């Protein structure tokens, strides 16, 4: 069963049809979520996403690392790696070991898929090292290492013009994935300034030029996605002007490259930013522009998210009818399920996020009880299905606490607020801190309540982020 389900053409990876069949009707993102859940069941934290599943199915990853092997064999009991369509480990490791000789060994992923895997999907221990590098600004910062650059590319390019290739495009895409992974776990604060370095290097790579059009397209898309990721870190940490600049940079890159998918992503985030910045009409226009750009892609999940962006803008305008219509459209599109057309960056958009964004709509409309129900549901689903999205769990719970406080349910609000405080050692987000501060102010009149008093005392002792 190891050889028959694999197809290839000369000089190209063999598609892993056995693995593709095991995915069945699940989208790559949904299947990746199942892999992560299986990992948690046996104590393995693997950072599996839709792109990783796509690379396995395309045959680019010929054999998984040991952590993924344990997860796959747990997920599919009774099967071997060969049954899953993978090549024997010894046939991959021999080439990879030879490729890593020389002074740079250990600093860059090798040219073979198995060697690249450890860099692209770090273990829990490596993730902690990456986080410390971002947070402390050590000389081996992830910001530079993730692009494989040890100095300013522009200076190098000016001294000796050269063409960049696939390895640089891989590095840009890897920087995007690492930043998103760290944000999912720890929030934006502390990451933003460190993430600016790979962004500068990515655009320097574009200036250096590429020998092949396909590589140029990958670099444009990667640099644009990186600009959006860095923009989101600025956005979530309250640096709205910086975020607006980064999103505009991504939009310009998308338009220069004729990349409708990247354009839709940029408009999506611009709509969210405009809503948070109190510009609801701009938020509506950006959400509608995103939907026009996204139609070609054929992703119902993407259109669902964009309808929610529009709903949130209408809610801020106080247009309940417009909000409800957009919410209904978002729910109908979401119910059609995920497909291969869903962008990789949408891995965060699941049932929990759908509930969380709807909660924000009802909160903006002053429907506090209804908002609280959706926020609590979002926190429960996220905790159950995506426990590694620590930042989102904290956000949904904080929003539930605020809604409960405004709904006149101080005991429940204090309990939810306490759960958020317990997560602040892991999560650094100005957005969450701001929500908690507002909740504390709303609860002040209830200070005689012991549960409220306990929450307020704990909140007062939390160190404020710079």
């Amino acid at each position: 069963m190891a050889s028959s389900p694999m197809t290839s053409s000369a000089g190209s990876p063999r598609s892993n049809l056995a693995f593709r069949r095991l995915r069945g009707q699940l989208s790559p993102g949904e299947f990746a979520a199942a892999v992560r859940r299986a990992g948690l069941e046996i104590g393995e934290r693997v950072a599996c996403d839709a792109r990783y599943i796509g690379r396995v199915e395309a045959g680019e990853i010929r054999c998984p690392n040991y952590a993924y092997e344990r997860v796959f064999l747990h997920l599919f009991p009774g099967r071997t790696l060969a049954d899953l369509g993978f090549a024997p480990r010894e046939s991959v490791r021999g080439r990879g070991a030879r490729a890593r000789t020389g002074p740079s060994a250990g600093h860059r992923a090798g040219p073979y898929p198995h060697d690249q895997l450890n860099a692209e999907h770090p273990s829990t221990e490596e993730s902690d090292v990456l986080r410390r590098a971002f947070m402390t600004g050590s000389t081996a910062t992830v910001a530079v290492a993730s692009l494989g650059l040890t100095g300013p590319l522009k200076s190098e390019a000016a001294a000796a013009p050269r063409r960049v290739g696939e390895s640089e495009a891989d590095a840009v895409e890897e920087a995007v994935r690492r930043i998103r992974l760290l944000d999912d776990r720890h929030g934006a604060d502390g990451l933003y300034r460190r993430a600016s370095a790979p962004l500068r290097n990515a655009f320097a790579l574009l200036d250096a030029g590429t020998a092949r059009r396909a590589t140029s397209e990958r670099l444009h898309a990667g640099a644009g996605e990186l600009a959006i990721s860095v923009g989101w870190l600025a956005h979530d940490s309250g640096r709205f002007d910086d975020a607006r600049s980064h999103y505009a940079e991504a939009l310009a890159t998308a338009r220069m490259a004729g990349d409708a998918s990247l354009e839709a992503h940029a408009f999506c985030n611009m709509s969210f930013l405009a809503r948070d910045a109190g510009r609801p009409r701009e938020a509506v226009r950006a959400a509608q522009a995103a939907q026009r750009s996204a139609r070609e892609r054929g992703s119902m999940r993407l259109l669902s998210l964009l309808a929610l962006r529009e709903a949130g803008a209408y809610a801020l305008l106080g247009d309940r009818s417009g909000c409800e219509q957009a919410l209904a459209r978002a729910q109908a599109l979401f119910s059609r399920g995920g497909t291969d057309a869903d962008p990789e960056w949408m891995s965060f958009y699941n049932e929990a996020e759908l509930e969380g964004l709807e909660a924000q709509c009802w909160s903006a409309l002053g429907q506090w009880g209804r908002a609280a129900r959706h926020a609590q549901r979002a926190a429960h689903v996220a905790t159950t299905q995506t426990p590694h999205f620590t930042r989102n769990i904290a956000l949904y719970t904080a929003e539930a606490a605020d809604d409960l406080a405004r709904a006149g349910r101080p005991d429940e609000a204090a309990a939810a607020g306490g759960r958020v405080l317990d997560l602040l050692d892991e999560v650094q987000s100005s957005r969450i801190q701001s929500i908690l501060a507002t909740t504390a102010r709303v609860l002040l009149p209830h200070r005689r309540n012991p549960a409220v008093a306990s929450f307020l005392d704990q909140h007062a002792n939390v160190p404020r982020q710079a």
Side-chain angles (χ1 to χ4, degrees):
M1 194 170 174
S3 57
S4 59
M6 307 283 281
T7 63
S8 68
S9 57
S12 63
R14 295 182 300 171
S15 299
N16 189 336
L17 301 183
F19 200 86
R20 172 63 187 90
R21 280 196 292 269
L22 289 169
R23 174 159 66 87
Q25 298 301 309
L26 296 176
S27 72
E30 290 169 333
F31 189 64
V35 172
R36 294 193 299 267
R37 287 196 295 273
L40 292 173
E41 291 172 2
I42 59 172
E44 290 284 1
R45 294 182 68 89
V46 290
C48 190
D49 57 18
R51 188 174 189 275
Y52 174 76
I53 298 300
R55 295 189 67 217
V56 171
E57 293 176 0
E60 295 177 27
I61 295 173
R62 297 173 55 208
C63 185
N65 68 11
Y66 289 108
Y68 272 90
E69 176 182 354
R70 288 189 287 272
V71 175
F72 289 147
L73 297 184
H74 172 69
L75 185 59
F76 302 109
R79 288 183 169 88
T80 65
L81 284 182
D83 295 332
L84 302 181
F86 290 112
R89 188 175 301 281
E90 58 272 14
S91 72
V92 177
R93 290 197 62 146
R95 297 176 66 198
R98 288 192 294 273
R100 287 194 299 272
T101 59
S104 63
H107 295 284
R108 288 190 60 187
Y112 301 103
H114 175 74
D115 302 325
Q116 294 169 354
L117 183 58
N118 287 330
E120 292 175 0
H121 298 280
S123 65
T124 301
E125 180 181 359
E126 183 185 0
S127 178
D128 289 341
V129 172
L130 295 178
R131 178 173 179 263
R132 285 196 296 274
F134 263 105
M135 298 301 185
T136 62
S138 66
T139 54
T141 60
V142 177
V144 176
S146 64
L147 286 180
L149 302 174
T150 56
L153 183 67
K154 285 187 176 179
S155 299
E156 178 187 338
R162 66 183 181 87
R163 297 288 184 179
V164 299
E166 295 294 315
S167 61
E168 287 81 5
D170 286 341
V172 173
E173 292 167 354
E174 172 60 14
V176 175
R177 287 192 295 274
R178 286 195 174 187
I179 288 170
R180 288 175 181 164
L181 175 65
L182 288 165
D183 178 48
D184 287 340
R185 293 180 179 175
H186 307 295
D189 290 15
L191 296 179
Y192 171 57
R193 296 196 184 283
R194 298 296 169 196
S196 298
L199 179 60
R200 289 192 299 272
N201 286 332
F203 279 96
L205 287 170
L206 286 179
D207 290 341
T210 61
R212 299 175 56 210
R213 180 175 178 179
T215 305
S216 177
E217 290 175 349
R218 284 186 63 199
L219 276 173
H220 274 88
E225 289 293 343
L226 193 53
I228 292 173
S229 291
V230 176
W232 167 248
L233 295 178
H235 180 173
D236 197 42
S237 57
R239 301 174 174 93
F240 287 0
D241 288 343
D242 288 355
R244 189 180 180 90
S245 175
H246 289 308
Y247 292 159
E249 189 172 39
L251 181 60
T253 302
R255 287 181 165 171
M256 284 189 292
D259 189 333
S261 182
L262 178 59
E263 182 173 304
H265 191 185
F267 272 129
C268 175
N269 279 45
M270 292 171 82
S271 176
F272 197 11
L273 176 65
R275 193 209 69 170
D276 281 355
R279 299 190 299 270
R281 296 191 187 282
E282 180 183 326
V284 171
R285 292 194 297 272
Q288 292 172 344
Q291 289 170 76
R292 289 192 294 272
S293 300
R295 286 184 188 130
E296 296 177 18
R297 186 167 186 118
S299 167
M300 299 302 103
R301 285 287 167 89
L302 175 55
L303 291 172
S304 173
L305 174 61
L306 298 176
L308 277 169
R309 294 284 185 249
E310 188 177 349
Y314 280 130
L316 197 61
L317 282 168
D319 183 350
R320 179 163 180 164
S321 175
C323 176
E324 289 181 333
Q325 289 177 32
L327 281 175
R329 192 165 71 251
Q331 291 159 351
L333 289 164
F334 186 89
S335 69
R336 294 172 67 175
T339 68
D340 291 347
D342 298 337
E344 179 188 349
W345 60 265
M346 286 191 64
S347 60
F348 75 95
Y349 184 53
N350 49 25
E351 182 185 354
E353 183 70 4
L354 175 69
E355 293 283 348
L357 291 176
E358 180 166 355
Q360 292 177 10
C361 290
W362 294 118
S363 180
L365 289 167
Q367 302 292 309
W368 311 117
R370 194 166 184 176
R373 287 195 297 275
H374 285 283
Q376 288 172 311
R377 171 66 178 163
H380 172 74
V381 173
T383 302
T384 304
Q385 297 184 4
T386 54
H388 57 292
F389 281 10
T390 314
R391 180 262 178 198
N392 280 3
I393 294 170
L395 174 64
Y396 304 143
T397 309
E399 290 177 337
D402 194 56
D403 293 329
L404 288 164
R406 294 173 186 275
R409 295 153 66 181
D411 286 313
E412 296 171 77
R419 290 194 293 273
V420 180
L421 291 174
D422 291 340
L423 295 173
L424 291 187
D425 286 341
E426 295 181 58
V427 177
Q428 296 185 331
S429 169
S430 293
R431 178 187 298 270
I432 294 170
Q433 289 272 26
S434 177
I435 294 171
L436 281 180
T438 301
T439 303
R441 287 194 295 271
V442 174
L443 288 176
L444 271 176
H446 303 278
R447 190 177 181 89
R448 291 179 181 274
N449 181 313
V452 172
S454 175
F455 164 71
L456 292 176
D457 290 343
Q458 291 179 61
H459 179 261
N461 291 323
V462 171
R464 296 297 179 259
Q465 297 162 11

